Amino acid sequence: MDYWDEVFEEQLDDDLKKLNEFSYVEGFDLIREGLLNLRDNQQFIEMGRIPKTGFNKEGSKWKFEEDKIPFIKAAKDGMSNFPLLYLPPLTKVVKYNFFIGLYSIIQVNYIYCANEKLDDEDYRSIILGDIGAYFTYFVEDFENPGEIPEPSEEFFKRLTDIKYESKEVRKFFSCIWDTISTFTVHYETHINHCRTVGFSALYLCACSALKNNHDSITFEDVVTGYLTIFKLFYIDIRPLVKKGYANYRGFYYKNKKAGYPKRILWADYYSTEK
């Protein structure tokens, strides 16, 4: 074992000692096992290196505007309205860029499993489909989603109102993230990927809280959020992305004259080249 391996082992031992303080948390063993499994998980390692080389194929031209896509627009409008007086008591736990970070993790998984960068159709299927909604509304059950509600700005406002239940819950979340950071340094993966994993996990913790009718992020939600993220280091997300794209309901509006909703698929209706 060389010097840097010894440093890694010492840091990992220290991380796990701090984590072990929360051994009383239900689901702790699953979290600890999930973290230890990352050290031998090639998908986790390689996914962490993808951001160094970029996501899209050379020549890809498809762009999107957030305000043109109902689900993403609802998230942007609901999560970007910060108070005029930004004081510590009003600091928000979950922000819009955490929501966007989840899409980055999905794209990285897609690229790893396809073994090539995204072309325009791949990118459209992720952005315009329901994959983001699967994680947001169903969290750990994202692989078996139910009926997706209409995009609501109010839902995302509620997400940003959620805080940690206690300092201990916050510390538990941070201990898990610190361990992931140790792996990131050891495997020389992209630091931005580590941040994105943490931000996405926190977003899912808040989603879990709403799903479980919690007023704040609990230990249960932290376990759920991280275990959901861990799944993305083992599965192939592409079939689910394609399912969400095929079933995408698009933007509905009420046709007053005809008296029935008309369906518009943004995949067909909105695509720009810049």
Side-chain angles (χ1 to χ4, degrees), residues 145-162:
E147 183 178 353
I148 298 174
E150 289 296 321
S152 165
E153 180 180 337
E154 182 59 32
F155 173 87
F156 291 100
K157 284 182 179 178
R158 290 172 60 205
L159 275 182
T160 61
D161 288 336
I162 289 177

Side-chain angles (χ1 to χ4, degrees), residues 71-72 74-75 79 94 96 98-100 102-103 106 129-143 145-152 155-157 159 162 200 202-212 224 228 240:
F71 178 68
I72 295 179
M79 303 181 78
V94 179
Y96 177 63
F98 295 8
F99 167 82
I100 293 299
L102 177 62
Y103 279 91
I106 292 169
D130 283 334
I131 188 65
Y134 290 167
F135 282 92
T136 295
Y137 298 119
F138 306 103
V139 198
E140 74 274 27
D141 297 320
F142 68 89
E143 294 173 284
E147 183 178 353
I148 298 174
E150 289 296 321
S152 165
F155 173 87
F156 291 100
K157 284 182 179 178
L159 275 182
I162 289 177
S200 302
L202 185 49
Y203 172 76
L204 291 173
C205 290
C207 291
S208 173
L210 284 190
K211 179 184 176 186
N212 293 313
T224 298
T228 302
L240 198 60

